[in-house]
Amino acid sequence: MIFALNAVTLLALFTSSFHRTRSRYSLGWTAALAFLLAGSALFLLIGTSAQAWAIPVGNALTVVGLVWAWWAVRSLKARSLRWWHFAVPAVVVGIVTVLDDPAANDLAGFLAVAAVSAVVMGLAARDLFLLDGRISRSRRSLLTAATVLSIYYGLQVVVHLAALGGVMAPAVLTSDATTTVITQLVLVVVSFSMAELSHDEAARRLRAKTSSITRELSEGAQVQRNLMPDRPLTGDGFSVAGVCVPSRTLSGDFFDWEDTGDHLVITVGDVMGKGAGAAMLGATVRAGLRLARTDDPGTTVPRMMKAVGDDLARNNSFVTLFHAHLDHGTGRLTVLDAGHGLAVVVRLDGSHEPIRSANLPLGLNNLAAADSTGWTTQTRSLEVGDKLLVFSDGVLDLFDGSLASLDLAVDLALAPPATGTTSESAVDRVRALAERADREDDVTVVTLDRLAPRPPDLPSVRTAESLDDCARA
C-alpha cells in the first residue's frame, strides 16, 4: 500500500510534467510507473483463484515497467528502444513464470524477474554514466539508484540460486520489507530528480533547436551574400562598389549590378521588415529584375512587377527600389526610384544633387504594376569625375535618423582617403561606421564613379626600324 500511494503520487507528477513540458523523460517514467502499478495490482490477487494468470501477467508488466524506466534514461541522450526491447523480456518472464506453476507457487518466475530486472537496471546505469557532459547532481543520484537496484536484484538471483542448492541466505535479503524499502528509496530519488532532469532535457532540446536554426540562418546568410556582388567592378569609364551590413543574420536590403556591355545596371532595394522573410522577398525582386531586364528601367520594373507583384501583395509587404541604367558612352543615367529617395549625385566640384523618389514603393503601386506608363523615370548626366551614392535608410540611423543625415552620410563617404576618393574607399568608410554602431536596421551603400574612358591601345615600338618608320610617318 505504501508503494502504491507513492507510485500513484509520482505518476500524477510525471503525467503533469509531461503535459507541461512534453519531456520524453517524463513520458518514459509515466509509462514505467503505470506498468509497475498495474503489475503490482495483479499481485494482490495472489491467494485467489486468479493467481494462475495474475502472477505471469503481473511479472510481465513489471519488467515492461522497468524497461520503460530504461527508455526514460536513454531519452536524455535522444536515444530510444525498439519494440523488441519491451517484448522479449516480457515474453521470456511470462513463459518462465507459467512453467513455474503459478497456480501453486506464489514466487513463480521470481528468478526470471530478478535476473531481467538486474540486467535492465544495469543497462540504465551504464547509459546514465555514458551521458555526454559532466555528471550533474541529479544524474549522480539516478546513477546511484539504478546501480543499487541492479546490484540488489542481482543479489536476489544469487540468493535464490543458493536456496535451490540448499544454502539459506539471511532473511533480510529476501524479505518483502527490504524490497519495499529499496523500491521506495529509488522512487524518492526519481521524484527529486524529475524536475531537474526534465529541465535539463528541455534545455538540451532548446539548445539543439537553436543550433539548428543558427546553422540554417548562417547558410541562408551565405546564400544571400552570394547573390549580391562580392567585389567592386571597374569597367570602361566606371567603377562601382557596394556593401550590405545586416542588423541580423539575414538582411532585408539588397543590391546588385550588371555590366551589359552598353549599360551598367545598378539596383538597391529595401524590403519592409527584417530577417528571413524580408531576405526571401528581396531575392525574389532581384531575380525578377534580372529576368525582366531591358535597356530602360521604365520598362524593366513594370515587367518585373507582373511576376512578383502578387507575391508582395500576398505577404502584405512592399519594397523601396532604386533602379538605374548608366550609358557607358554618354554618361546618361536613367533612374526609376520607387519610394527609395536616398540617392545623391556628387559633382566634381563637390555640389550635391539628390535624386528624389517619383513613384510609390513596389507593392503600393499595384495600379501601375503592369502599365509602363504608370512609372516615372528621371535622367541625370554623369560627367567624368562625378559620383553616384545610393544608401538604404539604415545609413540615416547611423547619425540622427533624419533626412538631414543624408548629407552627413555623403560627407562620410567623400572624406578624402590617403589614396584618393574612390568607390571602394567610400564604401569601406560607411561599412566601418556601420560595424561599430549598434544597428537596428540594415545598412547598405552603393557608390558609382564615372571615370575617364580608357584610351585605345597604342602599337608598341620595339626596334630601331620601327622607330625610323614612325619618324618617317
Side-chain angles (χ1 to χ4, degrees), residues 65-116:
L66 291 174
V67 174
W68 270 110
W70 180 27
W71 183 94
V73 169
R74 289 179 67 85
S75 73
L76 295 174
K77 201 174 181 179
R79 293 181 177 178
S80 189
L81 296 174
R82 297 185 179 276
W83 63 269
W84 55 267
H85 286 103
F86 298 88
V88 171
V91 171
V92 170
V93 166
I95 292 175
V96 171
T97 304
V98 170
L99 296 177
D100 204 14
D101 191 15
N105 181 9
D106 293 354
L107 295 179
F110 174 80
L111 182 61
V113 172
V116 171

Side-chain angles (χ1 to χ4, degrees), residues 128-144:
L128 280 168
F129 180 77
L130 295 177
L131 274 175
D132 294 335
R134 65 180 182 85
I135 300 181
S136 63
R137 181 175 54 189
S138 57
R139 275 178 51 198
R140 187 180 298 110
S141 300
L142 273 181
L143 176 60
T144 302

